[in-house]
Structure formats: structure tokens, C-alpha cells
Amino acid sequence: MIALLLLSALLWDETAAWGFKDGVLHNSIWLERAAGVYHREARSGKYRLTYAEAKAVCEYEGGHLATYQQLEAARKIGFHVCAAGWMAKGRVGYPIVKAGANCGFGKTGIVDYGIRLNRSERWDAYCYNPNGKECGGVFTDSKHVFKSPGYPNEYENEQICYWHIRVKYGQRIQLQFLEFDVEDDTACMADFLEIYDSYDDINGFVGRFCGDELPDDIISTGNVMTLKFLTDASVTAGGFQIRYTTLDPARPGDGKNTTSPGKTNFLAGKFGIM
Ligand SMILES: *[C@@H]1O[C@H](CO)[C@@H](O)[C@H](O)[C@H]1NC(C)=O
Ligand SMILES: *[C@@H]1O[C@H](CO)[C@@H](O)[C@H](O)[C@H]1NC(C)=O
Ligand SMILES: [Ca+2]
């Protein structure tokens, strides 16, 4: 409990420090998960869940739809998501920590769409599961190697991990897959790793990966990237190791065609994987 309070205090300090600082963009969307609350969208994309489906998604993952109070508690320690989702009792809304023109009508707080009479409307979901297994994190180092949880052992079932990478403004991020083995199925519906050229898992979708073929390198367009790893309730595999390094476009050779054609995906290019 004390640890949690300390963590809250820490995160609260962090929220006060958001903005542009030391040449690094401190963004508000890093904390995808806070105080047991997390945001879920349908595997098929944004705003595809009816109330019954949203409820089922959270229950499938061992929790339930978050109440307004739970979402507000999470928001108070930095949970900021620009996507409306179902909460308990058929309410719809989303948590805004940092006011912005594009989201939340320039206000902070829970943007509340109220209790919906039509439960067939489609939104995302806010789940509450204080016992959910956490993994991932926020990384600001100039290089790092991510490992799937438990690596070199197999990863577990029912994991949701987010790795957010944020390097200095103006730099780019190069991802290099060192090992990769994730339960294989044709559309990667069971277990998958998703990569976003963005600081959240809403914008900048790059690709969804599963199976045991090593994906090509990926280079971001900006100074942020998000990796999301989701596993279902059965069948695990070896997992992955992914190295990221920082490219400084101002330095000759960096961010250019340093590797052989076809081996590196420069973003804003095209991706065959979905
Ligand atoms: C309820 O919402 C769904 C999805 O937006 C829509 O298709 C349906 O017509 C709505 N029902 C009513 C009674 O408004
Ligand atoms: C990189 O290679 C592609 C295709 O070979 C070419 O179109 C592009 O201009 C090259 N970029 C740089 C910075 O050399
Ligand atoms: Ca699985």
C-alpha cells in the first residue's frame, strides 16, 4: 500500500513535469495502465465493442469493466487515453490528464458520455483488474534490449505488455529483432506483438507479428514508439528479444540506407504484415 502511494506520488510529480523539457518530449500517454485500470480495444480495431462484448473482454482477462471511480483514480495518477470506452453500468467516457486541442475538448477529467441507453453502440473498453500481470515499461535510454516476460523461458498466457520508447526529440528509433517466437496463426489473433510508430497504441500502426520468422528491422519516423504484446488463454512459445538503438539523423550515415534494401522498414514506407 505504501509502495503504491509512493508510486502515485512519483507519477503525480511526473504529470506536473509534462511538456517539452531537456529536448525530450514528455508526453502524457505513456501510462497505458494505472491503478489496475487498462484500456482495451477490439482485436479488430477501435470502437468495435458493444457493451456486452466489452464486459466479456474484461471478464475474459480476469477482471471487469472499470467503474467511473476506478477510472478517475487511475486518471489521477496519470492515466490518459484519447478513446471512449465502456465502463461499468453502461457508462462511456475516457480519462484526460493533459488538456489538448484534439482530445477531451481542452478539458481535463473524465470526459463522460453518460450512461448509454443503446447498449449496441460500439466503443472501446476500460477494464479493471488489480491482479493482472504487468509487464513492459517506459524506456528513454539510447539503447535497450526488450525481452518477453520470463525470457528465456516461454512467456505466459493472458499477458498484456506495453513498452513505450521515448528518445530525444529529433532522434529516431531502430528496432532489431534478435529472437522471435510467438504462437503462430494466420491472422495473429491468438498471441501477437504490435508495433506503433507513436506513443500510444491507437495511432501509427506499423504491423502485427507472430510466428517464428524474424521480422525485418523497423525505423521510426519520430522519437517515440510503442510495442504491445498480447497473449491469449492457451498455447505459449519461446518469446522474443528486441533491441532498439537510437539514430541521429543529423549524423551522416544514421537514418539513411545503411542496411541492404529490403532488410529495413523505414516508416512512411509500406508494410506487408497485418
Ligand atoms: C443503437 O446503436 C446501433 C449502433 O450504433 C445502431 O445501429 C442502432 O440503430 C441503435 N438503436 C437504436 C434503437 O437507436
Ligand atoms: C533509400 O533507398 C531507397 C530505395 O532504394 C531510395 O528511394 C531512397 O532515396 C534512399 N534514401 C536515402 C536517404 O538514401
Ligand atoms: Ca497463446
Side-chain angles (χ1 to χ4, degrees):
M1 189 62 204
I2 291 191
L4 189 72
L5 285 174
L6 280 175
L7 182 70
S8 311
L10 209 82
L11 292 173
W12 187 240
D13 271 347
E14 172 104 273
T15 63
W18 279 337
F20 208 77
K21 201 179 141 201
D22 301 328
V24 175
L25 183 63
H26 290 257
N27 202 286
S28 49
I29 314 182
W30 297 109
L31 305 160
E32 220 345 287
R33 178 181 192 130
V37 175
Y38 59 96
H39 166 232
R40 287 292 272 116
E41 62 180 27
R43 291 180 182 218
S44 53
K46 193 175 181 181
Y47 295 168
R48 301 277 172 81
L49 300 170
T50 63
Y51 178 65
E53 288 163 354
K55 202 161 176 283
V57 162
C58 298
E59 283 167 10
Y60 176 76
E61 287 168 358
H64 54 76
L65 283 169
T67 62
Y68 182 95
Q69 289 75 14
Q70 286 162 347
L71 190 62
E72 172 61 7
R75 193 194 68 82
K76 281 196 168 141
I77 61 165
F79 191 64
H80 172 111
V81 184
C82 189
W86 289 104
M87 290 175 257
K89 302 198 173 111
R91 189 177 282 271
V92 169
Y94 55 98
I96 295 298
V97 173
K98 187 170 184 249
N102 302 325
C103 199
F105 311 101
K107 298 199 184 95
T108 60
I110 305 290
V111 177
D112 188 3
Y113 292 2
I115 292 178
R116 312 306 293 176
L117 295 175
N118 184 351
R119 304 272 166 114
S120 306
E121 288 174 358
R122 292 179 184 274
W123 305 101
D124 291 350
Y126 287 101
C127 305
Y128 178 72
N129 183 3
N131 304 315
K133 302 177 200 101
E134 284 196 51
C135 45
V138 178
F139 295 85
T140 55
D141 321 353
S142 61
K143 56 179 188 284
H144 192 87
V145 176
F146 300 116
K147 297 179 168 95
S148 50
Y151 193 92
N153 297 321
E154 297 202 345
Y155 58 79
E156 291 179 40
N157 291 316
E158 297 181 346
Q159 298 259 283
I160 308 172
C161 315
Y162 289 89
W163 290 269
H164 298 289
I165 309 169
R166 179 186 71 201
V167 296
K168 287 206 174 91
Y169 189 74
Q171 292 182 324
R172 299 165 89 189
I173 299 155
Q174 174 159 18
L175 294 183
Q176 188 187 3
F177 293 81
L178 307 176
E179 308 274 343
F180 195 78
D181 181 15
V182 170
E183 182 189 358
D184 198 9
D185 71 290
T186 44
C188 299
M189 295 298 266
D191 302 349
F192 58 81
L193 177 74
E194 282 183 344
I195 313 264
Y196 291 82
D197 184 29
S198 162
Y199 39 70
D200 59 33
D201 62 339
I202 309 288
N203 302 299
F205 177 76
V206 174
R208 180 183 284 193
F209 303 90
C210 65
D212 59 7
E213 203 176 304
L214 274 188
D216 290 343
D217 288 8
I218 295 172
I219 297 179
S220 66
T221 58
N223 67 320
V224 293
M225 262 192 148
T226 297
L227 282 69
K228 171 178 175 178
F229 180 52
L230 196 140
T231 72
D232 67 1
S234 65
V235 185
T236 62
F240 52 81
Q241 286 197 82
I242 300 171
R243 174 160 57 217
Y244 85 75
T245 47
T246 311
L247 301 180
D248 187 349
R251 219 162 60 216
D254 268 5
K256 295 231 176 83
N257 293 341
T258 47
T259 49
S260 57
K263 276 309 287 173
T264 300
N265 287 318
F266 279 83
L267 292 184
K270 88 177 184 42
F271 298 93
I273 302 120
M274 169 57 212

